[in-house]
Amino acid sequence: MKAIVCEQYGPPDGLQFKEVATPAPVDDEVLIKICAASVNPLDSYSMRGPLFFLPIIGRRLKPEHQVIGCDIAGRVEAVGKDVKRLQEGDEVFGGKSWGGFAEYACVSEDKLAIKPANVSFEDAAAVTVAAITALQALRDKGSIQSGHKVLIEGASGGVGTFAIQIAKSFGADVTAVCSTRNVDTARSLGADRVIDYTREDFTQSGQRYDLILGANIHRSVFVYRRALNRDGIFVVVGGGLARLLQVMLLARLLSGIGSKKVCFFIANINAKDLTLLANLLEARKIVPVIDRRYRLSDAAEALRYREEGHAQGKVILTVEQ
Ligand SMILES: NC(=O)c1ccc[n+]([C@@H]2O[C@H](COP(=O)([O-])OP(=O)(O)OC[C@H]3O[C@@H](n4cnc5c(N)ncnc54)[C@H](OP(=O)(O)O)[C@@H]3O)[C@@H](O)[C@H]2O)c1
């Protein structure tokens, strides 16, 4: 099969589109013929390596998994002997941390759900990491409730565009923070208020929130904490490295002072949440925002574009059938 291969950590120029062995499913896995995949910041970490911030040393490490790519959607071609829920021919979406930018991938059935018939492979491929992160951040870490005042920073990216829609499906009052060109999109996704961060600083308005989802944080944790209501929660999933480190170091300490909470978390891909998202997709309660589409062979270009940091929603890779 053809796949996007990363033999050495580094920038997208080092990726190769080449022939590799088609993987074979182990007992709990299914083999999927991939129709579409989507690009996540996670793929940049897989490509640049764990020491991406020290490239001279980092590039000497060897990638453990050479085929990168997480989110996929496609058809089941073969199943391992312990697979119970899925069978040959099923249309599925999901993914694991690697192996997705290819014509075929093997994924455990625990990390897959059935794709609804009225949802395209491209839309389904857009969902996994970004939407699961948004869902788990709002529901599990943020304890979102109907009527909560929720602010989403980084509202126009992969995580943020799903977060607006998922927060609205919980009945929250949503404020989205994004740049000028994304204001209309955020509004069309259901945001009750949109703050253009190039014109207004939400932390200066005096408004307080029950839940702030930091999909892309670029300020000190103390600033976000001040914008919370008494029992408010600040859930961080991504942003600038220095800001994330500050949150990781101080979250526990700050959560022990007063009634406000701060937390960082890593999403967990699982079939139960994917199935919940499939139901929301089928009912059109969430609709993926797709910025650009590239062919699988042009994955390096797609990664380069996403790394510029201003993609609106998701970047998709299509696999010729
Ligand atoms: N913890 C986890 O499990 C987990 C899972 C998934 C992702 N993440 C992390 O979450 C972050 C977001 O992921 P993603 O997939 O949404 O990334 P993404 O799609 O690449 O995010 C791009 C978006 O970020 C927005 N943005 C850039 N600078 C901003 C700023 N200063 N203020 C507000 N928005 C800004 C851009 O909007 P404008 O063009 O309008 O600026 C753009 O729409 C990444 O850091 C990723 O690593 C973490």
Side-chain angles (χ1 to χ4, degrees):
M1 68 167 187
K2 281 278 184 38
I4 297 295
V5 178
C6 171
E7 289 179 349
Q8 193 188 11
Y9 288 131
D13 320 14
L15 295 175
Q16 299 171 62
F17 181 56
K18 66 184 229 183
E19 199 68 38
V20 296
T22 303
V26 298
D27 300 350
D28 69 334
E29 286 182 337
V30 302
L31 174 69
I32 300 161
K33 183 166 170 43
I34 298 172
C35 299
S38 81
V39 180
N40 287 288
L42 177 63
D43 306 318
S44 291
Y45 302 131
S46 306
M47 172 183 76
R48 292 181 181 273
L51 295 183
F52 62 92
F53 48 89
L54 293 172
I56 295 172
I57 305 172
R59 282 185 205 176
R60 295 195 187 150
L61 303 176
K62 278 268 161 253
E64 188 187 347
H65 303 286
Q66 294 198 341
V67 178
I68 63 168
C70 177
D71 291 358
I72 56 165
R75 278 191 194 82
V76 173
E77 286 260 316
V79 300
K81 74 175 176 51
D82 294 339
V83 170
K84 301 205 166 55
R85 220 168 25 93
L86 299 175
Q87 57 189 4
E88 219 181 296
D90 282 348
E91 295 182 349
V92 294
F93 71 102
K96 57 181 182 186
S97 304
W98 68 90
F101 294 170
E103 290 176 325
Y104 293 87
C106 288
V107 181
S108 154
E109 73 166 337
D110 297 344
K111 294 187 182 300
L112 293 167
I114 295 283
K115 176 185 80 61
N118 64 343
V119 174
S120 69
F121 284 107
E122 291 183 9
D123 277 0
V127 167
T128 303
V129 169
I132 279 223
T133 304
L135 173 69
Q136 294 174 355
L138 294 166
R139 181 195 62 190
D140 304 342
K141 300 292 166 183
S143 304
I144 191 170
Q145 301 289 327
S146 179
H148 267 178
K149 279 199 172 310
V150 176
L151 178 128
I152 298 162
E153 185 165 51
S156 50
V159 174
T161 47
F162 284 115
I164 296 173
Q165 301 176 76
I166 293 170
K168 284 309 297 175
S169 78
F170 277 96
D173 178 90
V174 177
T175 301
V177 181
C178 59
S179 68
T180 316
R181 70 189 183 99
N182 293 316
V183 167
D184 289 344
T185 302
R187 214 167 267 137
S188 73
L189 294 174
D192 299 283
R193 268 164 301 284
V194 183
I195 296 175
D196 176 348
Y197 68 76
T198 65
R199 296 184 180 173
E200 191 184 338
D201 180 350
F202 79 87
T203 64
Q204 301 296 316
S205 70
Q207 179 66 54
R208 299 284 176 266
Y209 299 92
D210 301 303
L211 168 58
I212 297 179
L213 169 60
N216 218 324
I217 63 162
H218 294 276
R219 288 175 243 237
S220 162
V221 65
F222 298 101
V223 175
Y224 295 99
R225 196 169 174 274
R226 269 200 296 279
L228 289 175
N229 276 330
R230 224 175 96 78
D231 296 315
I233 308 179
F234 177 37
V235 183
V236 179
V237 301
L241 187 59
R243 296 310 185 191
L244 292 181
L245 285 174
Q246 186 196 35
V247 171
M248 286 178 212
L249 284 172
L250 297 180
R252 199 173 254 239
L253 180 72
L254 291 176
S255 298
I257 304 168
S259 53
K260 298 178 182 180
K261 298 271 175 288
V262 174
C263 75
F264 171 80
F265 92 110
I266 301 286
N268 160 254
I269 300 174
N270 65 81
K272 199 168 162 221
D273 283 344
L274 285 172
T275 303
L276 190 155
L277 292 167
N279 293 336
L280 292 176
L281 277 171
E282 187 172 31
R284 297 273 166 215
K285 289 198 171 157
I286 57 171
V287 177
V289 174
I290 294 180
D291 182 343
R292 291 191 183 180
R293 293 167 174 81
Y294 294 84
R295 285 179 306 189
L296 175 63
S297 52
D298 296 329
E301 195 50 45
L303 279 146
R304 222 173 271 126
Y305 175 64
R306 205 225 47 83
E307 286 193 341
E308 288 170 13
H310 295 283
Q312 187 189 61
K314 297 290 300 178
V315 175
I316 298 292
L317 299 178
T318 54
V319 184
E320 276 171 37
Q321 299 301 303

mmCIF file with all atom_site columns, all heavy atoms in Angstrom, residues 220-233:
data_model
loop_
_atom_site.group_PDB
_atom_site.id
_atom_site.type_symbol
_atom_site.label_atom_id
_atom_site.label_alt_id
_atom_site.label_comp_id
_atom_site.label_asym_id
_atom_site.label_entity_id
_atom_site.label_seq_id
_atom_site.pdbx_PDB_ins_code
_atom_site.Cartn_x
_atom_site.Cartn_y
_atom_site.Cartn_z
_atom_site.occupancy
_atom_site.B_iso_or_equiv
_atom_site.pdbx_formal_charge
_atom_site.auth_seq_id
_atom_site.auth_comp_id
_atom_site.auth_asym_id
_atom_site.auth_atom_id
_atom_site.pdbx_PDB_model_num
ATOM 1   N N   . SER A 1 220 ? -1.373  34.081 30.484 1.00 0.00 ? 220 SER A N   1
ATOM 2   C CA  . SER A 1 220 ? -1.093  33.451 31.768 1.00 0.00 ? 220 SER A CA  1
ATOM 3   C C   . SER A 1 220 ? -2.361  32.825 32.352 1.00 0.00 ? 220 SER A C   1
ATOM 4   O O   . SER A 1 220 ? -3.463  33.359 32.220 1.00 0.00 ? 220 SER A O   1
ATOM 5   C CB  . SER A 1 220 ? -0.560  34.521 32.724 1.00 0.00 ? 220 SER A CB  1
ATOM 6   O OG  . SER A 1 220 ? -0.663  34.069 34.040 1.00 0.00 ? 220 SER A OG  1
ATOM 7   N N   . VAL A 1 221 ? -2.186  31.710 33.031 1.00 0.00 ? 221 VAL A N   1
ATOM 8   C CA  . VAL A 1 221 ? -3.297  31.005 33.672 1.00 0.00 ? 221 VAL A CA  1
ATOM 9   C C   . VAL A 1 221 ? -4.045  31.914 34.640 1.00 0.00 ? 221 VAL A C   1
ATOM 10  O O   . VAL A 1 221 ? -5.258  31.807 34.815 1.00 0.00 ? 221 VAL A O   1
ATOM 11  C CB  . VAL A 1 221 ? -2.782  29.712 34.369 1.00 0.00 ? 221 VAL A CB  1
ATOM 12  C CG1 . VAL A 1 221 ? -1.831  30.024 35.520 1.00 0.00 ? 221 VAL A CG1 1
ATOM 13  C CG2 . VAL A 1 221 ? -3.921  28.853 34.884 1.00 0.00 ? 221 VAL A CG2 1
ATOM 14  N N   . PHE A 1 222 ? -3.345  32.869 35.264 1.00 0.00 ? 222 PHE A N   1
ATOM 15  C CA  . PHE A 1 222 ? -3.973  33.751 36.257 1.00 0.00 ? 222 PHE A CA  1
ATOM 16  C C   . PHE A 1 222 ? -5.025  34.652 35.608 1.00 0.00 ? 222 PHE A C   1
ATOM 17  O O   . PHE A 1 222 ? -6.029  34.994 36.210 1.00 0.00 ? 222 PHE A O   1
ATOM 18  C CB  . PHE A 1 222 ? -2.905  34.599 36.967 1.00 0.00 ? 222 PHE A CB  1
ATOM 19  C CG  . PHE A 1 222 ? -1.933  33.740 37.728 1.00 0.00 ? 222 PHE A CG  1
ATOM 20  C CD1 . PHE A 1 222 ? -0.676  33.464 37.205 1.00 0.00 ? 222 PHE A CD1 1
ATOM 21  C CD2 . PHE A 1 222 ? -2.288  33.180 38.941 1.00 0.00 ? 222 PHE A CD2 1
ATOM 22  C CE1 . PHE A 1 222 ? 0.211   32.651 37.894 1.00 0.00 ? 222 PHE A CE1 1
ATOM 23  C CE2 . PHE A 1 222 ? -1.401  32.367 39.639 1.00 0.00 ? 222 PHE A CE2 1
ATOM 24  C CZ  . PHE A 1 222 ? -0.153  32.099 39.116 1.00 0.00 ? 222 PHE A CZ  1
ATOM 25  N N   . VAL A 1 223 ? -4.761  35.030 34.362 1.00 0.00 ? 223 VAL A N   1
ATOM 26  C CA  . VAL A 1 223 ? -5.698  35.902 33.641 1.00 0.00 ? 223 VAL A CA  1
ATOM 27  C C   . VAL A 1 223 ? -7.015  35.160 33.385 1.00 0.00 ? 223 VAL A C   1
ATOM 28  O O   . VAL A 1 223 ? -8.102  35.691 33.602 1.00 0.00 ? 223 VAL A O   1
ATOM 29  C CB  . VAL A 1 223 ? -5.062  36.363 32.304 1.00 0.00 ? 223 VAL A CB  1
ATOM 30  C CG1 . VAL A 1 223 ? -6.046  37.155 31.471 1.00 0.00 ? 223 VAL A CG1 1
ATOM 31  C CG2 . VAL A 1 223 ? -3.804  37.166 32.570 1.00 0.00 ? 223 VAL A CG2 1
ATOM 32  N N   . TYR A 1 224 ? -6.905  33.898 32.939 1.00 0.00 ? 224 TYR A N   1
ATOM 33  C CA  . TYR A 1 224 ? -8.127  33.113 32.684 1.00 0.00 ? 224 TYR A CA  1
ATOM 34  C C   . TYR A 1 224 ? -8.865  32.855 33.997 1.00 0.00 ? 224 TYR A C   1
ATOM 35  O O   . TYR A 1 224 ? -10.086 32.916 34.063 1.00 0.00 ? 224 TYR A O   1
ATOM 36  C CB  . TYR A 1 224 ? -7.762  31.768 32.040 1.00 0.00 ? 224 TYR A CB  1
ATOM 37  C CG  . TYR A 1 224 ? -7.152  31.900 30.671 1.00 0.00 ? 224 TYR A CG  1
ATOM 38  C CD1 . TYR A 1 224 ? -5.771  31.832 30.492 1.00 0.00 ? 224 TYR A CD1 1
ATOM 39  C CD2 . TYR A 1 224 ? -7.946  32.089 29.543 1.00 0.00 ? 224 TYR A CD2 1
ATOM 40  C CE1 . TYR A 1 224 ? -5.201  31.959 29.238 1.00 0.00 ? 224 TYR A CE1 1
ATOM 41  C CE2 . TYR A 1 224 ? -7.395  32.209 28.280 1.00 0.00 ? 224 TYR A CE2 1
ATOM 42  C CZ  . TYR A 1 224 ? -6.016  32.143 28.130 1.00 0.00 ? 224 TYR A CZ  1
ATOM 43  O OH  . TYR A 1 224 ? -5.465  32.264 26.883 1.00 0.00 ? 224 TYR A OH  1
ATOM 44  N N   . ARG A 1 225 ? -8.117  32.578 35.039 1.00 0.00 ? 225 ARG A N   1
ATOM 45  C CA  . ARG A 1 225 ? -8.719  32.250 36.342 1.00 0.00 ? 225 ARG A CA  1
ATOM 46  C C   . ARG A 1 225 ? -9.548  33.426 36.864 1.00 0.00 ? 225 ARG A C   1
ATOM 47  O O   . ARG A 1 225 ? -10.620 33.241 37.416 1.00 0.00 ? 225 ARG A O   1
ATOM 48  C CB  . ARG A 1 225 ? -7.598  31.867 37.310 1.00 0.00 ? 225 ARG A CB  1
ATOM 49  C CG  . ARG A 1 225 ? -8.093  31.154 38.558 1.00 0.00 ? 225 ARG A CG  1
ATOM 50  C CD  . ARG A 1 225 ? -6.924  30.568 39.313 1.00 0.00 ? 225 ARG A CD  1
ATOM 51  N NE  . ARG A 1 225 ? -7.344  30.015 40.573 1.00 0.00 ? 225 ARG A NE  1
ATOM 52  C CZ  . ARG A 1 225 ? -7.453  30.716 41.689 1.00 0.00 ? 225 ARG A CZ  1
ATOM 53  N NH1 . ARG A 1 225 ? -7.157  32.013 41.682 1.00 0.00 ? 225 ARG A NH1 1
ATOM 54  N NH2 . ARG A 1 225 ? -7.844  30.134 42.818 1.00 0.00 ? 225 ARG A NH2 1
ATOM 55  N N   . ARG A 1 226 ? -9.045  34.632 36.642 1.00 0.00 ? 226 ARG A N   1
ATOM 56  C CA  . ARG A 1 226 ? -9.782  35.828 37.090 1.00 0.00 ? 226 ARG A CA  1
ATOM 57  C C   . ARG A 1 226 ? -11.118 35.970 36.353 1.00 0.00 ? 226 ARG A C   1
ATOM 58  O O   . ARG A 1 226 ? -12.049 36.570 36.873 1.00 0.00 ? 226 ARG A O   1
ATOM 59  C CB  . ARG A 1 226 ? -8.943  37.098 36.835 1.00 0.00 ? 226 ARG A CB  1
ATOM 60  C CG  . ARG A 1 226 ? -8.056  37.486 38.010 1.00 0.00 ? 226 ARG A CG  1
ATOM 61  C CD  . ARG A 1 226 ? -7.651  38.944 37.936 1.00 0.00 ? 226 ARG A CD  1
ATOM 62  N NE  . ARG A 1 226 ? -6.831  39.252 36.774 1.00 0.00 ? 226 ARG A NE  1
ATOM 63  C CZ  . ARG A 1 226 ? -5.512  39.035 36.696 1.00 0.00 ? 226 ARG A CZ  1
ATOM 64  N NH1 . ARG A 1 226 ? -4.872  38.529 37.724 1.00 0.00 ? 226 ARG A NH1 1
ATOM 65  N NH2 . ARG A 1 226 ? -4.841  39.329 35.607 1.00 0.00 ? 226 ARG A NH2 1
ATOM 66  N N   . ALA A 1 227 ? -11.203 35.431 35.139 1.00 0.00 ? 227 ALA A N   1
ATOM 67  C CA  . ALA A 1 227 ? -12.435 35.569 34.347 1.00 0.00 ? 227 ALA A CA  1
ATOM 68  C C   . ALA A 1 227 ? -13.464 34.472 34.673 1.00 0.00 ? 227 ALA A C   1
ATOM 69  O O   . ALA A 1 227 ? -14.481 34.349 33.993 1.00 0.00 ? 227 ALA A O   1
ATOM 70  C CB  . ALA A 1 227 ? -12.096 35.539 32.862 1.00 0.00 ? 227 ALA A CB  1
ATOM 71  N N   . LEU A 1 228 ? -13.185 33.662 35.714 1.00 0.00 ? 228 LEU A N   1
ATOM 72  C CA  . LEU A 1 228 ? -14.127 32.597 36.094 1.00 0.00 ? 228 LEU A CA  1
ATOM 73  C C   . LEU A 1 228 ? -15.077 33.076 37.176 1.00 0.00 ? 228 LEU A C   1
ATOM 74  O O   . LEU A 1 228 ? -14.703 33.886 38.040 1.00 0.00 ? 228 LEU A O   1
ATOM 75  C CB  . LEU A 1 228 ? -13.362 31.392 36.659 1.00 0.00 ? 228 LEU A CB  1
ATOM 76  C CG  . LEU A 1 228 ? -12.536 30.527 35.705 1.00 0.00 ? 228 LEU A CG  1
ATOM 77  C CD1 . LEU A 1 228 ? -11.763 29.477 36.502 1.00 0.00 ? 228 LEU A CD1 1
ATOM 78  C CD2 . LEU A 1 228 ? -13.431 29.859 34.657 1.00 0.00 ? 228 LEU A CD2 1
ATOM 79  N N   . ASN A 1 229 ? -16.296 32.528 37.174 1.00 0.00 ? 229 ASN A N   1
ATOM 80  C CA  . ASN A 1 229 ? -17.218 32.719 38.297 1.00 0.00 ? 229 ASN A CA  1
ATOM 81  C C   . ASN A 1 229 ? -16.685 31.992 39.521 1.00 0.00 ? 229 ASN A C   1
ATOM 82  O O   . ASN A 1 229 ? -15.735 31.210 39.419 1.00 0.00 ? 229 ASN A O   1
ATOM 83  C CB  . ASN A 1 229 ? -18.597 32.147 37.938 1.00 0.00 ? 229 ASN A CB  1
ATOM 84  C CG  . ASN A 1 229 ? -19.404 33.156 37.153 1.00 0.00 ? 229 ASN A CG  1
ATOM 85  O OD1 . ASN A 1 229 ? -19.223 34.359 37.334 1.00 0.00 ? 229 ASN A OD1 1
ATOM 86  N ND2 . ASN A 1 229 ? -20.275 32.668 36.289 1.00 0.00 ? 229 ASN A ND2 1
ATOM 87  N N   . ARG A 1 230 ? -17.363 32.160 40.642 1.00 0.00 ? 230 ARG A N   1
ATOM 88  C CA  . ARG A 1 230 ? -16.917 31.585 41.921 1.00 0.00 ? 230 ARG A CA  1
ATOM 89  C C   . ARG A 1 230 ? -16.526 30.100 41.835 1.00 0.00 ? 230 ARG A C   1
ATOM 90  O O   . ARG A 1 230 ? -15.465 29.709 42.258 1.00 0.00 ? 230 ARG A O   1
ATOM 91  C CB  . ARG A 1 230 ? -18.031 31.757 42.942 1.00 0.00 ? 230 ARG A CB  1
ATOM 92  C CG  . ARG A 1 230 ? -17.588 32.218 44.287 1.00 0.00 ? 230 ARG A CG  1
ATOM 93  C CD  . ARG A 1 230 ? -18.810 32.456 45.152 1.00 0.00 ? 230 ARG A CD  1
ATOM 94  N NE  . ARG A 1 230 ? -19.105 31.299 45.984 1.00 0.00 ? 230 ARG A NE  1
ATOM 95  C CZ  . ARG A 1 230 ? -18.427 31.009 47.092 1.00 0.00 ? 230 ARG A CZ  1
ATOM 96  N NH1 . ARG A 1 230 ? -17.469 31.787 47.507 1.00 0.00 ? 230 ARG A NH1 1
ATOM 97  N NH2 . ARG A 1 230 ? -18.724 29.939 47.791 1.00 0.00 ? 230 ARG A NH2 1
ATOM 98  N N   . ASP A 1 231 ? -17.419 29.263 41.276 1.00 0.00 ? 231 ASP A N   1
ATOM 99  C CA  . ASP A 1 231 ? -17.108 27.828 41.182 1.00 0.00 ? 231 ASP A CA  1
ATOM 100 C C   . ASP A 1 231 ? -16.689 27.445 39.765 1.00 0.00 ? 231 ASP A C   1
ATOM 101 O O   . ASP A 1 231 ? -16.854 26.298 39.350 1.00 0.00 ? 231 ASP A O   1
ATOM 102 C CB  . ASP A 1 231 ? -18.333 26.992 41.594 1.00 0.00 ? 231 ASP A CB  1
ATOM 103 C CG  . ASP A 1 231 ? -18.680 27.240 43.053 1.00 0.00 ? 231 ASP A CG  1
ATOM 104 O OD1 . ASP A 1 231 ? -17.758 27.258 43.888 1.00 0.00 ? 231 ASP A OD1 1
ATOM 105 O OD2 . ASP A 1 231 ? -19.881 27.452 43.335 1.00 0.00 ? 231 ASP A OD2 1
ATOM 106 N N   . GLY A 1 232 ? -16.171 28.404 39.038 1.00 0.00 ? 232 GLY A N   1
ATOM 107 C CA  . GLY A 1 232 ? -15.856 28.174 37.624 1.00 0.00 ? 232 GLY A CA  1
ATOM 108 C C   . GLY A 1 232 ? -14.678 27.219 37.402 1.00 0.00 ? 232 GLY A C   1
ATOM 109 O O   . GLY A 1 232 ? -13.856 27.001 38.287 1.00 0.00 ? 232 GLY A O   1
ATOM 110 N N   . ILE A 1 233 ? -14.645 26.660 36.189 1.00 0.00 ? 233 ILE A N   1
ATOM 111 C CA  . ILE A 1 233 ? -13.591 25.699 35.824 1.00 0.00 ? 233 ILE A CA  1
ATOM 112 C C   . ILE A 1 233 ? -12.899 26.173 34.543 1.00 0.00 ? 233 ILE A C   1
ATOM 113 O O   . ILE A 1 233 ? -13.568 26.548 33.577 1.00 0.00 ? 233 ILE A O   1
ATOM 114 C CB  . ILE A 1 233 ? -14.173 24.280 35.585 1.00 0.00 ? 233 ILE A CB  1
ATOM 115 C CG1 . ILE A 1 233 ? -15.042 23.842 36.792 1.00 0.00 ? 233 ILE A CG1 1
ATOM 116 C CG2 . ILE A 1 233 ? -13.055 23.270 35.346 1.00 0.00 ? 233 ILE A CG2 1
ATOM 117 C CD1 . ILE A 1 233 ? -15.675 22.465 36.625 1.00 0.00 ? 233 ILE A CD1 1
#
